[in-house]
């Protein structure tokens, strides 16, 4: 038998878990009905009917009949028919999707009024004006929403009547005026739409239902869905509800209420009330509402009943509820409820409060907060965001609020910060040379690069505010200034404010509030007086409680991406269980560049060996520092990854220098440095690459520059020996970057084994460290089964894997065309931010399975930026990774989401918001 769907549910037939079918509004009206709360009777047409309508442009067969049946029983129950001339039943036709889309779709009130029934309504209500006002509102709403008449035209007619009367508000219009207005509206509808306003109540109802269905695809709704990542194919439900009137006099009214403060989570009476009004009046703001508490004075019985209902709802939903209600001549009616939206702070506080009240358990509390909310709590913010106009906007790359004087190079940043000044480092883009300046700065602003540009990645790692890719800025480091759109010039020393949560840049100082939560994590166990009292104390206790539970529940471990002892110490405070990625490239900068230059210029084995010998003790020191801090915990050290030219002088600068030297040389043959620079220039030219990201880097460098990786491996092994001799328990691991095929790894692994044997022999301390590889190229993922034969562990480098799977250059694409890609729906979120589950994630999943088949005990982790992204962390849990590794500052988010993933179950294998 073919499936005949049921398209209409009476409120008594539904419940709160049928949101997909009945929409949030319909499901919760049903739930409240079944709780015995005063809900005006009605029924809901399913989203399935809407989907069928949208697919064919017509109502599905059977719908009309079902609506008729439900309408008939509604009429029987109410004792009057829809539009009955002497006593009309009126209904509202309300949209309501599974996800809240406030105000994005249509609703029509007062369906059932007509020339024939307006008099009946007046007689029943004992109020002519009310009846005619209701009628004119119906024609206006119906004309606009259902018949597509420009809403401004109704406003113009209304204004004209008001003008003629000398009235400033529509409340001053009397029955005669409203009658005239109804006549004018009817003419307008006929002229503008070519059809008369329908007088038959059933036609009104049918047309309104179809219009609400169609409003799912209205411009506003589509735009909202794109922003909120709500799928386009869900459709809206339509609830048809007997009208109750809040505009029947002083003993009537309408309001909204929250069972707790949605801003702070505090329990109490929160909301607004407007006497003698309908819901739309509250939204339109035509009169000022009064605080809900005032209702106690105005109508004590309704107030007490409302509070009682709020308690019932909280106990039942076990959460903050928001409510819309109407009082009709002293009788309270519930028009809507839902689990209310809240701020990040309120989310944590409410979850913990509900556990303490015994309403939910710790698992449920963990489900009710998100990593994104925690991240929001960890950054400082501007006290009054939006107070003034930004001078420009860039990409919100690392959240937080930073204020300081603009500086244009790292040396100035360091010097000014040393003098106690707060500075914002402004660059076109940053590179590893800017690091000291970035550390010294409060925030970083760049005009180029996206969310995974150097500036963004490093800033996020440091928990530092960053706005990048502010392309409208002309940054002129030479003249030490930048120019913003409109010709605003900001010179060195001028104060600017940078909002890393919105991407906005402001001139001057905006007041900033620091994050108590971040300070609390940093302070670790240190008892801080302010941390235990008041509102902040309650928030911190809530965060602690939920984090502790996440730590108990999570299967995945968390490690940090950290390169120095200082970073490692911070990582421990934030809960790291080891280091998943220690990048060694920072160790080749600064003073040490000269050794790299020597290495590149070396003509003979001896020259090369001398350069490497100079680097060895420096590297050993670096590693020993980190191993000391992370004693007893794994530390994965990655061998050099970036192309060597990154450590050499810039081609253009060097060319100029050599050209100048040669010009001088014509005069003075012995110009100092000229010969070295010429050799260096030749090397820089030789190493120059058009696509360095795809060039001589990673393991390729290790294979082409003899001794380079062996030196690094020796430094690691000797650092481990040093720790052992000092009584420590080092767990260093050697990681090879950018492997594409097993042979590359085998060569380096064999080289490593030789070094371990040599160091063991020389020192008498046995060293045999695990050797593993990054999986960051599609070929590595596809051949992971083979690669696992030579690898003790895999660490997924999802930054490069995303870059190479999509063929996107990460430093270039985000700022240049990602906005268009997001707008066009190619992806819902940048794949550099949330792992692209369908593509990149599939490669990771494949490599996990094949790697484990070859080597069941292989350790599997991820160290790309995605390791600290909430949705991605849940994905990595689902595919069975052992750990995620991310910047220290993102560790709490990773811990929380790993815990949430464990309690949310394995069902959601796809990360949310991935590629469609
Ligand atoms: C990666 O590619 O994901 C990774 C961690 O390496 P890097 O970002 O240093 O290239
Ligand atoms: Mg990489």
């Amino acid at each position: 038998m073919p499936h005949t769907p049921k398209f209409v549910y009476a409120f008594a037939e539904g419940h709160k878990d049928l949101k997909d079918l009945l929409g949030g509004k319909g499901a919760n009206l049903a739930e409240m009905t079944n709780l015995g709360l005063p809900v005006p009777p009605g029924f809901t047409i399913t989203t399935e009917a809407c989907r069928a309508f949208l697919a064919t442009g017509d109502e599905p067969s059977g719908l009309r009949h079902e609506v008729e049946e439900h309408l008939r029983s509604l009429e029987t129950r109410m004792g009057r028919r829809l539009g009955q001339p002497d006593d009309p039943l009126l209904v509202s036709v309300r949209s309501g999707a599974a996800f809240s889309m406030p105000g994005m779709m249509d609703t029509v009130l007062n369906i059932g009024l007509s020339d024939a029934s307006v008099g009946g309504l007046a007689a029943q209500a004992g109020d002519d004006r009310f009846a005619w006002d209701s009628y004119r509102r119906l024609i206006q709403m119906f004309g606009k929403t259902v018949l597509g008449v420009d809403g401004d035209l109704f406003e113009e007619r209304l204004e004209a009547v008001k003008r003629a009367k000398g009235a400033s508000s529509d409340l001053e219009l009397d029955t005669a005026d409203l009658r005239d207005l109804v006549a004018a509206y009817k003419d307008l509808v006929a002229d503008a739409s070519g059809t008369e306003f329908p007088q038959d109540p059933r036609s009104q109802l049918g047309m309104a239902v179809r219009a609400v269905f169609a409003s799912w695809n209205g411009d506003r709704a589509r735009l909202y869905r794109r922003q909120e990542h709500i799928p386009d194919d869900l459709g809206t439900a339509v609830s048809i509800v007997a009208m109750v009137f809040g505009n029947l006099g002083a003993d009537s009214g309408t309001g909204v209420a929250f069972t707790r403060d949605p801003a702070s989570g505090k329990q109490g009476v929160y909301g607004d009330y407007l006497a003698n009004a309908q819901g739309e009046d509250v939204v339109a703001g035509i009169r000022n509402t009064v605080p809900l508490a005032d209702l106690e004075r105005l109508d004590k019985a309704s107030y007490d009943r409302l509070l009682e209902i709020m308690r019932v709802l909280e106990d039942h939903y076990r959460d903050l509820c928001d409510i819309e209600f109407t009082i009709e001549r002293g009788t309270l009616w519930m028009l809507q409820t839902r689990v209310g939206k809240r701020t990040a702070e309120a989310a944590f506080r409410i979850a913990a409060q509900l556990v303490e009240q015994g309403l939910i358990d710790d698992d449920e509390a963990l489900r009710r907060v998100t990593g994104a909310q925690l991240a929001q709590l960890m950054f400082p913010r501007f006290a009054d965001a939006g107070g003034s106009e930004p001078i420009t906007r860039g990409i919100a790359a690392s959240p937080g609020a930073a204020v300081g004087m603009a500086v244009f190079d790292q040396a100035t940043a360091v010097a000014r910060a040393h003098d106690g000044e707060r500075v914002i480092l402004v660059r076109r883009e940053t590179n590893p040379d800017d690091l000291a300046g970035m550390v010294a700065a409060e925030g970083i602003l760049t005009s180029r690069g996206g969310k995974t540009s150097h500036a963004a990645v490093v800033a996020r790692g440091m928990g530092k505010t960053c706005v990048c890719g502010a392309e409208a800025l002309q940054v002129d480091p030479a003249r030490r200034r930048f120019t913003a759109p409109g010709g605003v010039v900001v010179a060195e020393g001028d104060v600017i404010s940078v909002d890393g949560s919105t991407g906005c840049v402001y001139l001057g100082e905006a007041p900033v509030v620091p994050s108590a939560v971040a300070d609390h994590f940093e302070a670790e166990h240190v008892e801080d007086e302010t941390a235990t009292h008041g509102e902040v104390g309650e928030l911190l206790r809530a965060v602690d409680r939920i984090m502790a539970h996440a730590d108990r529940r999570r299967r995945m471990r968390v490690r940090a991406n950290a390169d120095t002892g200082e970073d490692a110490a911070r990582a421990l405070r934030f809960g790291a269980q080891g280091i998943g990625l220690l990048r060694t490239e920072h160790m080749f900068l600064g003073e040490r560049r000269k050794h790299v230059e020597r290495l590149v210029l070396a003509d003979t084995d001896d020259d090369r060996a001398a350069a490497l010998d100079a680097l060895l003790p420096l590297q050993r020191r670096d590693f020993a520092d980190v191993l000391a801090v992370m004693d007893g915990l794994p530390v994965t050290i990655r061998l050099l990854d970036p192309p060597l030219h990154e450590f050499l002088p810039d081609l253009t600068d060097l060319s100029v220098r050599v050209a100048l030297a040669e010009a001088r040389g014509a005069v003075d043959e012995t110009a100092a440095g000229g010969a070295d620079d010429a050799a260096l220039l030749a090397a820089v030219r030789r190493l120059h690459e058009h696509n360095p990201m795809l060039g001589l880097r990673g393991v390729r460098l290790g294979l082409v520059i003899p001794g380079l990786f062996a030196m690094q491996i020796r430094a690691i092994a000797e650092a481990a020996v040093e720790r052992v001799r000092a009584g420590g328990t080092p767990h260093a691991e050697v990681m090879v970057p950018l492997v594409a095929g097993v042979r590359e790894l085998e060569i380096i692994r064999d080289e490593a084994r030789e070094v371990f044997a040599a160091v063991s022999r020389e020192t008498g301390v046995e060293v045999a460290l695990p050797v593993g590889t990054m999986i960051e190229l599609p070929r590595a993922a596809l051949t992971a089964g083979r690669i696992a034969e030579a690898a003790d562990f895999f660490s997924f480098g999802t930054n490069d894997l995303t870059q190479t799977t999509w063929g996107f250059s990460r430093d270039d694409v985000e700022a240049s065309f990602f906005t268009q890609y997001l707008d066009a729906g190619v992806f819902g979120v940048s794949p550099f931010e949330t792992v692209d589950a369908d593509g990149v994630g599939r490669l990771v999943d494949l490599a996990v399975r094949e790697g484990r088949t070859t080597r069941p005990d292989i350790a599997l982790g991820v160290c790309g930026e995605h390791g600290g992204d909430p949705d991605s962390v849940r994905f990595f849990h689902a595919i069975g990774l052992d750990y995620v590794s991310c910047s220290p500052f993102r560790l709490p988010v990773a811990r929380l989401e790993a815990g949430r993933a464990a309690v949310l179950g394995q069902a959601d294998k796809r990360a949310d918001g991935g590629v469609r």
Side-chain angles (χ1 to χ4, degrees):
M1 246 183 63
H3 159 72
T4 20
K6 174 176 165 60
F7 287 127
V8 184
Y9 287 69
F11 287 167
E13 293 177 293
H15 57 79
K16 71 175 170 30
D17 298 325
L18 286 181
K19 281 200 191 70
D20 289 347
L21 195 63
L22 303 179
K25 192 175 287 152
N28 288 321
L29 283 171
E31 189 77 8
M32 287 198 291
T33 301
N34 291 325
L35 281 172
L37 300 181
V39 175
F43 53 89
T44 300
I45 303 173
T46 64
T47 55
E48 192 175 358
C50 175
R51 287 194 294 274
F53 174 85
L54 294 173
T56 63
D58 211 349
E59 289 177 15
S61 77
L63 175 61
R64 182 178 292 262
H65 178 68
E66 276 190 69
V67 170
E68 276 299 318
E69 275 188 357
H70 282 269
L71 183 61
R72 218 168 300 133
S73 65
L74 179 64
E75 289 175 335
T76 308
R77 190 158 163 206
M78 303 296 288
R80 46 207 162 110
R81 280 177 293 108
L82 183 71
Q84 182 179 312
D86 61 341
D87 183 7
L89 167 65
L90 305 186
V91 295
S92 60
V93 175
R94 295 169 181 268
S95 57
F99 297 95
S100 159
M101 293 169 55
M104 297 301 142
M105 289 178 299
D106 292 331
T107 280
V108 189
L109 307 180
N110 302 338
I111 291 281
L113 265 184
S114 64
D115 294 353
S117 64
V118 63
L121 180 67
Q124 290 296 330
D127 187 341
D128 280 349
R129 189 192 178 282
F130 156 74
W132 284 95
D133 189 46
S134 300
Y135 193 21
R136 74 98 189 156
R137 284 172 193 258
L138 168 65
I139 302 172
Q140 182 165 357
M141 227 185 268
F142 194 97
K144 178 171 173 225
T145 318
V146 183
L147 301 173
V149 179
D150 181 353
D152 288 346
L153 298 176
F154 290 101
E155 293 300 334
E156 281 171 19
R157 300 295 187 283
L158 180 60
E159 283 308 313
V161 175
K162 274 167 41 182
R163 249 197 325 274
K165 169 106 186 172
S168 59
S169 142
D170 55 309
L171 288 179
E172 293 166 43
L173 302 182
D174 61 20
T175 309
D177 301 323
L178 291 165
R179 274 172 184 270
D180 289 348
L181 196 55
V182 163
Y185 277 3
K186 283 200 287 198
D187 288 346
L188 167 60
V189 165
D191 287 349
S193 73
T195 31
E196 298 288 334
F197 171 76
Q199 291 294 327
D200 172 35
R202 296 296 169 97
S203 306
Q204 290 175 3
L205 180 62
M207 290 168 80
V209 168
R210 283 194 293 277
V212 174
F213 280 162
S215 70
W216 173 259
N217 276 335
D219 291 344
R220 262 180 311 156
R222 285 222 303 269
L223 188 68
Y224 183 81
R225 286 200 294 274
R226 193 179 305 156
Q227 274 168 2
E228 298 293 311
H229 307 310
I230 297 173
D232 271 329
D233 53 4
L234 302 178
T236 179
V238 183
S239 291
I240 294 163
V241 194
M243 284 295 301
V244 287
F245 296 97
N247 52 345
L248 273 172
D251 56 354
S252 303
T254 189
V256 293
F258 298 92
T259 56
R260 294 171 192 246
D261 181 357
S264 71
K266 255 200 295 197
Q267 271 176 301
V269 182
Y270 298 91
D272 303 300
Y273 181 70
L274 190 56
N276 196 10
Q278 278 196 309
E280 59 191 20
D281 300 329
V282 178
V283 180
I286 54 167
R287 273 176 282 149
N288 286 340
T289 57
V290 298
L292 187 59
D294 288 8
L295 180 61
E296 184 169 21
R297 193 170 37 77
L298 297 171
D299 181 351
K300 173 110 172 70
S302 295
Y303 179 78
D304 290 345
R305 178 88 177 105
L306 181 66
L307 257 51
E308 185 189 317
I309 290 172
M310 281 162 65
R311 263 191 302 277
V312 170
L313 287 173
E314 265 235 344
D315 285 352
H316 182 71
Y317 282 87
R318 302 176 302 137
D319 207 345
L320 173 155
C321 296
D322 78 25
I323 294 161
E324 285 179 24
F325 65 91
T326 280
I327 298 171
E328 181 181 291
R329 292 188 168 155
T331 304
L332 176 68
W333 294 98
M334 305 303 294
L335 297 190
Q336 180 172 327
T337 191
R338 65 185 166 203
V339 166
K341 290 196 190 329
R342 64 206 70 188
T343 62
E345 176 177 339
F348 275 86
R349 285 174 62 178
I350 291 171
Q353 286 164 5
L354 292 173
V355 177
E356 275 155 29
Q357 284 175 245
L359 281 173
I360 60 173
D361 62 14
D362 280 304
D363 273 2
E364 181 60 23
L366 191 48
R367 281 186 211 107
R368 292 213 183 156
V369 296
T370 66
Q373 287 168 333
L374 181 61
Q376 239 175 304
L377 291 179
M378 287 183 62
F379 288 98
R381 55 191 166 78
F382 285 116
D384 175 27
S388 56
E389 272 301 301
I391 51 170
T392 193
R393 270 198 175 81
I395 295 172
S398 179
V403 178
M405 57 171 61
V407 296
F408 294 85
D409 66 280
Q410 68 94 17
T412 312
V414 172
R416 294 280 180 109
H418 189 257
D419 294 343
E421 305 275 13
R422 294 177 304 167
V423 301
I424 306 282
L425 180 63
V426 186
R427 305 282 291 160
R428 285 199 190 112
E429 54 197 328
T430 62
N431 62 46
D433 276 343
D434 292 318
L435 208 61
M438 295 172 81
V439 171
E442 300 290 315
I444 296 131
L445 170 63
T446 70
S447 59
R448 289 209 63 228
K451 275 198 177 167
T452 45
S453 63
H454 179 267
V457 171
V458 174
R460 273 201 298 276
M462 298 193 291
K464 199 147 278 197
T465 302
C466 174
V467 169
C468 61
E471 302 227 326
L473 294 187
Q474 311 273 336
V475 178
D476 187 346
R479 297 167 72 186
R480 298 178 171 276
R481 63 186 213 181
F482 72 76
T483 312
V488 179
V489 174
V490 173
E492 186 163 282
D494 291 350
V495 172
I496 54 173
S497 302
V498 175
D499 189 335
S501 310
T502 62
C504 291
V505 181
Y506 303 91
L507 202 57
E509 171 160 0
V512 174
V513 188
S515 159
V517 173
D519 290 351
H520 181 60
F521 281 124
E522 279 277 18
E524 209 189 10
H525 301 301
V526 181
E527 267 307 318
D528 176 351
E529 265 303 291
T530 58
T532 50
H533 298 297
E535 306 247 328
V536 176
E538 193 196 326
L539 171 63
L540 298 181
R541 277 193 300 279
V543 169
D544 279 347
R545 166 168 210 134
I546 293 171
M547 289 303 290
H549 191 64
D551 287 339
R552 274 195 296 278
R553 293 297 260 140
R554 66 190 158 86
R555 178 186 59 70
M556 283 195 298
R557 298 169 73 77
V558 296
R559 299 197 198 174
N561 295 352
D563 304 343
T564 63
E566 199 183 320
D567 280 358
R570 183 168 206 220
L572 282 180
R573 291 196 296 275
F574 280 85
Q577 296 166 293
I579 287 183
L581 174 62
L582 186 156
R583 292 180 168 103
T584 52
E585 41 269 25
H586 304 310
M587 303 169 176
F588 287 73
L589 295 169
E591 270 297 287
R592 302 178 187 183
R593 264 170 198 274
K594 61 177 186 287
H595 303 304
V596 181
E597 286 178 13
R598 265 173 76 194
L599 183 66
V600 170
L601 294 176
D603 283 335
T604 65
D605 288 351
D606 284 350
D607 285 351
R608 192 176 301 113
L612 291 171
D613 282 350
L615 282 166
L616 177 69
L618 303 172
Q619 288 259 277
R620 190 167 57 222
R621 189 71 274 122
D622 298 328
F623 300 144
D625 279 354
V626 178
L627 288 174
V629 175
M630 282 282 163
D631 200 56
L633 296 171
V635 176
T636 306
I637 301 171
R638 183 177 75 184
L639 304 177
L640 190 66
D641 183 13
L644 278 183
H645 72 78
E646 284 201 7
F647 309 101
L648 299 179
D650 178 76
L651 177 62
T652 317
D653 292 350
L654 193 57
S655 304
V656 171
R657 216 155 77 201
V658 170
L660 287 175
E662 277 171 4
R664 262 202 316 273
V667 184
D668 177 4
E669 282 288 317
T670 61
D676 282 356
D677 277 353
L680 201 53
L681 179 60
V684 170
R685 286 213 175 105
R686 181 161 39 80
L687 290 170
H688 178 77
E689 294 173 324
H690 289 290
N691 287 309
M693 278 292 149
L694 301 177
L696 181 60
R697 55 172 282 215
V699 68
R700 302 161 194 173
L701 269 181
L703 295 180
V704 168
I705 313 273
L708 174 63
F709 275 14
M711 177 279 291
Q712 288 198 291
I713 294 167
R714 178 173 271 275
I716 297 168
E718 289 180 355
V721 168
E722 196 180 304
R723 283 301 307 149
V724 172
R725 287 189 171 146
T729 316
H731 289 295
E733 305 175 338
V734 175
M735 180 151 78
V736 185
L738 217 75
V739 163
V742 68
R743 186 67 202 133
E744 292 169 315
L745 181 60
E746 282 169 351
I747 297 170
I748 304 299
R749 181 205 52 192
D750 292 346
E751 198 174 2
R753 285 181 179 166
E754 282 172 28
V755 173
F756 298 151
V759 172
S760 303
R761 241 186 351 262
E762 290 158 21
T763 62
V765 177
E766 183 62 27
V767 258
L769 309 179
V771 177
T773 180
M774 302 278 292
I775 300 284
E776 53 184 340
L777 293 173
R779 193 181 187 286
L782 293 168
T783 61
R786 281 280 286 127
I787 293 177
E789 290 168 14
D792 293 317
F793 61 86
F794 287 168
S795 179
F796 291 93
T798 45
N799 302 334
D800 271 305
L801 194 58
T802 300
Q803 169 162 262
T804 49
T805 300
W806 279 89
F808 286 153
S809 157
R810 64 176 136 156
D811 288 340
D812 298 315
V813 293
E814 282 200 301
S816 72
F817 65 81
F818 264 31
T819 321
Q820 281 104 309
Y821 262 44
L822 289 163
D823 284 348
V826 178
F827 29 66
V829 57
S830 160
F832 287 113
E833 201 173 326
T834 296
V835 70
D836 150 32
D838 295 344
V840 176
R842 208 160 155 226
L843 285 171
V844 177
D845 189 21
L846 176 84
V848 164
R849 282 186 280 112
E850 300 205 345
R852 282 221 172 98
T853 305
T854 303
R855 188 183 280 239
D857 63 345
I858 191 165
L860 300 170
V862 59
C863 64
E865 278 287 297
H866 303 91
D869 167 68
D871 289 339
S872 310
V873 169
R874 291 202 304 282
F875 175 81
F876 296 134
H877 168 90
I879 62 168
L881 292 194
D882 299 315
Y883 69 87
V884 295
S885 188
C886 60
S887 332
F889 200 74
R890 299 180 91 190
L891 281 165
V893 170
R895 284 160 55 201
L896 183 77
E897 286 292 349
R900 291 187 71 231
V903 300
L904 287 167
Q906 307 262 335
D908 180 16
K909 224 181 166 190
R910 291 200 35 170
D912 300 339
V915 170
R916 304 234 168 93

